[in-house]
Coordinates of all heavy atoms in Angstrom, one line a residue:
S118 N -3.2 -7.5 -2.0 CA -3.4 -8.3 -0.8 C -2.0 -8.7 -0.2 O -1.9 -8.9 1.0 CB -4.3 -9.4 -1.0 OG -3.7 -10.4 -1.9
A119 N -1.0 -8.9 -1.1 CA 0.3 -9.3 -0.7 C 0.9 -8.2 0.2 O 1.6 -8.5 1.2 CB 1.2 -9.6 -1.9
I120 N 0.7 -7.0 -0.2 CA 1.2 -5.8 0.5 C 0.6 -5.8 1.9 O 1.3 -5.6 2.9 CB 1.0 -4.5 -0.2 CG1 1.6 -4.5 -1.6 CG2 1.5 -3.3 0.6 CD1 1.2 -3.4 -2.5
K121 N -0.7 -6.0 2.0 CA -1.4 -6.0 3.3 C -1.0 -7.1 4.2 O -0.7 -6.9 5.4 CB -2.9 -6.1 3.0 CG -3.7 -6.2 4.4 CD -5.2 -6.1 4.1 CE -6.0 -6.3 5.4 NZ -5.5 -5.8 6.6
A122 N -0.7 -8.3 3.6 CA -0.3 -9.4 4.3 C 1.1 -9.1 5.0 O 1.3 -9.5 6.1 CB -0.2 -10.7 3.4
V123 N 2.0 -8.5 4.2 CA 3.3 -8.2 4.7 C 3.2 -7.1 5.8 O 3.8 -7.2 6.9 CB 4.2 -7.7 3.6 CG1 5.5 -7.1 4.1 CG2 4.6 -8.9 2.7
K124 N 2.4 -6.1 5.5 CA 2.2 -5.0 6.5 C 1.7 -5.6 7.8 O 2.1 -5.1 8.9 CB 1.3 -3.9 6.0 CG 0.9 -2.8 6.9 CD 2.2 -2.1 7.4 CE 1.9 -1.0 8.4 NZ 3.1 -0.4 9.0
D125 N 0.8 -6.5 7.8 CA 0.2 -7.1 9.0 C 1.2 -8.0 9.7 O 1.0 -8.3 10.9 CB -1.0 -7.9 8.6 CG -2.2 -7.0 8.2 OD1 -2.2 -5.8 8.5 OD2 -3.2 -7.6 7.6
A126 N 2.2 -8.5 9.0 CA 3.1 -9.5 9.6 C 4.4 -8.9 10.2 O 5.0 -9.6 11.0 CB 3.5 -10.5 8.5
V127 N 4.7 -7.7 9.9 CA 6.0 -7.1 10.4 C 5.7 -5.7 11.0 O 4.7 -5.1 10.8 CB 7.1 -6.9 9.3 CG1 7.4 -8.3 8.7 CG2 6.6 -6.0 8.2
S128 N 6.7 -5.3 11.8 CA 6.5 -4.0 12.5 C 7.3 -2.9 11.9 O 7.1 -1.7 12.2 CB 6.9 -4.1 14.0 OG 8.2 -4.5 14.1
I129 N 8.2 -3.2 10.9 CA 9.0 -2.2 10.2 C 8.1 -1.6 9.1 O 7.1 -2.2 8.7 CB 10.3 -2.7 9.7 CG1 10.0 -3.9 8.7 CG2 11.2 -3.1 10.8 CD1 11.2 -4.5 8.1
P130 N 8.5 -0.3 8.7 CA 7.7 0.3 7.6 C 7.6 -0.6 6.3 O 8.6 -1.2 6.0 CB 8.4 1.6 7.3 CG 9.1 1.9 8.6 CD 9.5 0.6 9.1
V131 N 6.5 -0.6 5.7 CA 6.3 -1.3 4.4 C 5.8 -0.3 3.4 O 4.9 0.5 3.5 CB 5.2 -2.4 4.6 CG1 4.8 -3.1 3.3 CG2 5.7 -3.5 5.6
I132 N 6.5 -0.4 2.2 CA 6.2 0.5 1.1 C 5.6 -0.4 0.0 O 6.2 -1.4 -0.4 CB 7.5 1.2 0.6 CG1 8.1 2.0 1.7 CG2 7.2 2.0 -0.6 CD1 9.6 2.2 1.6
G133 N 4.4 0.0 -0.5 CA 3.7 -0.7 -1.5 C 4.1 -0.3 -2.9 O 4.3 0.9 -3.2
N134 N 4.2 -1.2 -3.9 CA 4.6 -0.9 -5.2 C 3.8 -1.8 -6.2 O 3.6 -3.0 -5.9 CB 6.1 -1.2 -5.4 CG 6.6 -1.0 -6.8 OD1 7.5 -1.7 -7.2 ND2 6.1 0.0 -7.5
G135 N 3.3 -1.2 -7.3 CA 2.6 -2.0 -8.3 C 1.3 -1.5 -8.7 O 0.4 -1.4 -7.8
D136 N 1.2 -1.0 -9.9 CA -0.1 -0.5 -10.4 C -0.6 0.8 -9.8 O -1.8 1.1 -9.8 CB -1.2 -1.6 -10.4 CG -1.0 -2.7 -11.4 OD1 -0.2 -2.5 -12.3 OD2 -1.7 -3.7 -11.3
V137 N 0.3 1.6 -9.3 CA -0.1 3.0 -8.9 C 0.2 3.9 -10.1 O 1.3 4.2 -10.4 CB 0.7 3.4 -7.6 CG1 0.4 4.9 -7.3 CG2 0.4 2.6 -6.4
K138 N -0.9 4.3 -10.7 CA -0.8 5.0 -12.0 C -1.2 6.5 -11.8 O -0.9 7.3 -12.7 CB -1.7 4.4 -13.1 CG -1.2 3.0 -13.4 CD -2.2 2.3 -14.3 CE -1.9 0.8 -14.5 NZ -2.9 0.1 -15.2
N139 N -1.8 6.8 -10.7 CA -2.2 8.2 -10.4 C -2.5 8.4 -8.9 O -2.3 7.4 -8.1 CB -3.5 8.5 -11.2 CG -4.6 7.5 -11.0 OD1 -4.9 7.1 -9.9 ND2 -5.1 7.0 -12.1
C140 N -2.9 9.6 -8.5 CA -3.0 9.9 -7.1 C -4.2 9.1 -6.5 O -4.1 8.8 -5.3 CB -3.3 11.4 -6.9 SG -4.8 12.0 -7.7
F141 N -5.2 8.7 -7.3 CA -6.3 8.0 -6.7 C -5.9 6.5 -6.4 O -6.3 6.0 -5.4 CB -7.5 8.0 -7.7 CG -7.9 9.3 -8.2 CD1 -7.6 9.8 -9.5 CD2 -8.5 10.2 -7.3 CE1 -8.0 11.0 -9.9 CE2 -8.8 11.5 -7.7 CZ -8.6 11.9 -9.0
D142 N -5.0 6.0 -7.3 CA -4.5 4.6 -7.0 C -3.6 4.7 -5.7 O -3.6 3.7 -4.9 CB -3.6 4.2 -8.2 CG -4.4 3.9 -9.4 OD1 -5.6 3.6 -9.3 OD2 -3.8 3.9 -10.5
A143 N -2.9 5.8 -5.6 CA -2.0 5.9 -4.4 C -2.8 5.8 -3.1 O -2.5 5.1 -2.2 CB -1.2 7.2 -4.5
K144 N -3.9 6.6 -3.1 CA -4.7 6.6 -1.9 C -5.4 5.3 -1.7 O -5.5 4.8 -0.5 CB -5.8 7.7 -1.9 CG -6.5 7.9 -0.6 CD -7.4 9.1 -0.6 CE -8.0 9.4 0.8 NZ -8.6 8.2 1.4
K145 N -5.9 4.7 -2.7 CA -6.5 3.4 -2.7 C -5.6 2.3 -2.1 O -6.0 1.5 -1.3 CB -7.0 3.0 -4.0 CG -7.9 1.7 -4.0 CD -8.4 1.4 -5.4 CE -9.2 0.1 -5.4 NZ -9.6 -0.3 -6.8
M146 N -4.3 2.3 -2.6 CA -3.4 1.3 -2.1 C -3.1 1.5 -0.6 O -3.1 0.5 0.2 CB -2.0 1.4 -2.8 CG -1.0 0.5 -2.2 SD 0.7 0.6 -3.0 CE 0.4 -0.4 -4.5
I147 N -3.0 2.7 -0.1 CA -2.7 3.0 1.3 C -4.0 2.6 2.1 O -3.9 1.9 3.2 CB -2.3 4.4 1.6 CG1 -0.9 4.7 1.0 CG2 -2.4 4.8 3.0 CD1 -0.5 6.1 1.1
D148 N -5.1 2.9 1.6 CA -6.4 2.6 2.3 C -6.6 1.1 2.4 O -7.1 0.6 3.5 CB -7.6 3.3 1.7 CG -7.6 4.8 1.9 OD1 -6.9 5.3 2.7 OD2 -8.4 5.5 1.1
E149 N -6.3 0.4 1.3 CA -6.6 -1.0 1.3 C -5.6 -1.9 2.0 O -5.9 -3.0 2.5 CB -6.7 -1.5 -0.2 CG -8.0 -1.1 -0.9 CD -8.1 -1.7 -2.3 OE1 -7.3 -2.5 -2.6 OE2 -9.0 -1.3 -3.0
T150 N -4.3 -1.4 2.0 CA -3.2 -2.3 2.6 C -2.7 -1.8 3.9 O -2.0 -2.5 4.6 CB -2.1 -2.4 1.6 OG1 -1.4 -1.1 1.5 CG2 -2.6 -2.8 0.2
G151 N -2.9 -0.5 4.2 CA -2.3 0.1 5.4 C -0.8 0.3 5.3 O -0.1 0.6 6.3
C152 N -0.2 0.3 4.0 CA 1.2 0.5 3.9 C 1.6 1.9 4.3 O 0.8 2.8 4.2 CB 1.6 0.2 2.4 SG 0.9 1.2 1.2
D153 N 2.8 2.1 4.6 CA 3.3 3.3 5.1 C 3.6 4.4 4.0 O 3.6 5.6 4.3 CB 4.6 3.1 5.9 CG 4.4 2.2 7.1 OD1 4.0 2.7 8.2 OD2 4.6 1.0 7.0
A154 N 3.8 3.9 2.8 CA 4.1 4.7 1.7 C 3.9 3.9 0.4 O 3.8 2.7 0.4 CB 5.5 5.3 1.8
I155 N 3.8 4.7 -0.7 CA 3.7 4.0 -2.0 C 4.9 4.3 -2.8 O 5.6 5.4 -2.7 CB 2.4 4.4 -2.7 CG1 2.3 5.9 -2.9 CG2 1.2 3.9 -2.0 CD1 2.7 6.4 -4.3

């Protein structure tokens, strides 16, 4: 939720990090947070 909060607050690209252990986690992070990359 911290990644989503940052993504919603700034206009520059936001890259999410933390507990991405496989491809399914990668997609889930992007879907849940809207981050530009993992």
